[in-house]
Amino acid sequence: MFALVGRSIESLYQVARGLKTVFKHTVRPPITKNFPDDMPDLPGHFRGRLALAVNPQTSEHLCISCLQCERVCPDKCIQITSHKSPETNKPELIEFKIDHGLCMFCGLCTEVCPTSCIINTNDFEMADYTRESLVYDLKRLTLSQDESAHYFAKKELPMPKPKPPKPAAKPAAPAAAAKPAEDKPEAKPEVKAEAKPQDLPAAPAPESPKKEEQ
Amino acid sequence: MSVELSSPDLKTDEMIINMGPQHPATHGVLRLILTLDGEICKHVEPVLGHLHRAQEWQGQNRTWFQYQALIDRVDYLSGMYTSWAMARAAEQIDGLVVPKRAEYLRVILSEMNRITSHLLWLGTYLIDLGAMFGFPFYPFREREKLFDLFEEVAGQRMMFNYIRIGGVLRNPPFGWFDKLKRFTDEFPDRIDEYEAIVTENPIFLKRTKGVGILKKETAMAYGVTGPCIRASGIPLDLRKTKPYSVYPELDFKVQTMDGDGDTWARYMCRIREMRESNEIIRQAIEKIPGGTTEELRKLLGTTGPEKDESKDLDPSFLLMAKKQNAGLRVKAGEGFAAVESPRGTIGCYVISNGSDKAYRFKWRNPSFCNLSVLPELLVGAPIADIMAIFGSIDVILPDVDR
Ligand code: SF4
Ligand code: SF4
């Protein structure tokens, strides 16, 4: 009988101890965040949506069509179309497609890219209505100059080497001048997409900046 | 006319019930075919394979470099350990000596991973037992903090792709070690909080004490590893019994429980392991060669990562013993390596033929072996205890089926 009473008191004490902790927590401020209003502060190495960076200084496209990323991708979701430029005899980018519906965001393509062209952005809100719209083409993938500068700094990537002193007067200037005022680096995807057309002519620069191995 | 329900001549029919595959408490998809006599379980047959993803086959059809990214997904709650097992097996074949700093980073991040895994178990186990009063989400609060730290260093919260053959991917960013140190300072108080709510709670004790007793002999016969066998009183922990990496330099104890290894003992063992992991992290932060990233960069005279692999650096400060590139090759040979994961021993056996793909992979997964002991534990248990017992052995179904 005494044992039973003793046990009951002990149990009640333990329950009360637990409840005390619980109630203490009911009055503290919430630890969760209001997501859409309160965007998380993502670290630079966060592996989000893939994008193609341009040279933050000159705004020329960094991709040299080496196809390393296409080859290394475990899911085979990158598709690159390029051709040999008749003038410079170097590969020239025509189309670049990434199927984000297949991508597993492993980041391997960004690791092998020799020019740090393909990068993982901090953008993760990619929900869409159709599977086709998850396939991003060159236009939607290419970042603006400001965004590229933002990510190059945030990811501590080495800046692309300046172009060799060849007759390289024209490629950068017109595109940079024609560029409209950009939004903030973390602009929404639609903004990126429509801000791009001016970049395209400049992208396959007549003289590719580097000696490729292909 | 009244019938004594417990009368021996009352005839009852056995009933077969399917539990799962979509039962919410099975942490994945496991089907249990239960043969019940009234409330008592007479026979159990687990049906596996719903989550089979041919991980071994994929390892043979992808290059080493690609497979490293995939292997975190075998046991998605403790991805560090599967990567680590594979990396160690490949390093064994290649004869690579991993730099000290990389080993320390591996230890720190894997112990963090052990804590997150145990925290998830704690939260979901309490849900399995029916404790919905706010508690299950307390562990998730700490887990979230750790995941933020993982995100900063590895890039993702659960699929880290951080431990690579020959080292680790990168140095943590500035301020990371301070954040981790702050976490280790406050974490013991948080565990005290969980314990205040759960450990001595009379309902919890009633549900777990003396339930699902796993005897030493049974555990050994079935090859049970991890907290389950330590809760039965056998101090089997690869970090101590077969030391690897830098664990010999760290001071920690293997947590075993006296008594018969019931469900409560397995709970308690995991709680103690979390405290121990916290201690390991604290020591490793103190001992890591090169110190925090800030100190290392000051030594190198830079603020960026560009010199992390430079030639004139003290070799123990490097991150990689071998350059990682898409054509990563491992010499021909065979290797086996095992690491102690939150669930038990993860073993990886590889045959390499010297090309950029492995010839054969074989995984020894702790969840599979731990699950095989389930029928022993369930027979004779009432149906209400089934989830209490099943949850306590903490299997993760993708790890069982691979
Ligand atoms: S992140 Fe991985 S899966 Fe996605 S495109 Fe790059 S390599 Fe392919
Ligand atoms: S690896 Fe980089 S440079 Fe090469 S094709 Fe891919 S994005 Fe272009």
Side-chain angles (χ1 to χ4, degrees), chain A residues 95-132:
Chain A
E95 185 53 298
F96 200 110
K97 279 204 176 114
I98 298 183
D99 186 352
H100 278 101
L102 275 179
C103 176
M104 63 170 174
F105 303 101
C106 60
L108 293 183
C109 51
T110 64
E111 274 171 47
V112 297
C113 181
T115 58
S116 314
C117 171
I118 185 164
I119 55 171
N120 283 109
T121 62
N122 283 4
D123 179 16
F124 58 91
E125 296 166 279
M126 299 167 55
D128 225 321
Y129 288 103
T130 58
R131 290 186 189 180
E132 288 71 39

Side-chain angles (χ1 to χ4, degrees), chain A residues 11 14-15 17-19 21-22 25 31 42-43 45-47 71-74 104-106 108 111-112 156, chain B residues 62 65-66 69 73 133 138 141 151-152 154-156 159-161 164 170 193 196-197 200 202 303 305 326:
Chain A
S11 302
Q14 292 298 351
V15 171
R17 196 159 73 105
L19 284 182
T21 317
V22 172
H25 278 283
I31 45 169
L42 293 170
H45 291 300
F46 177 78
R47 300 204 294 265
R71 221 172 300 144
V72 80
C73 177
M104 63 170 174
F105 303 101
C106 60
L108 293 183
E111 274 171 47
V112 297
E156 302 182 320
Chain B
R62 290 172 181 230
F65 190 64
Q66 293 174 337
R73 277 119 172 123
F133 186 35
Y138 290 10
R141 172 189 49 186
E151 200 173 33
E152 279 182 36
Q156 255 175 27
M159 305 302 157
F160 312 110
N161 193 7
R164 299 298 178 84
R170 62 168 78 89
E193 243 172 35
I197 304 175
E200 294 293 332
T303 53

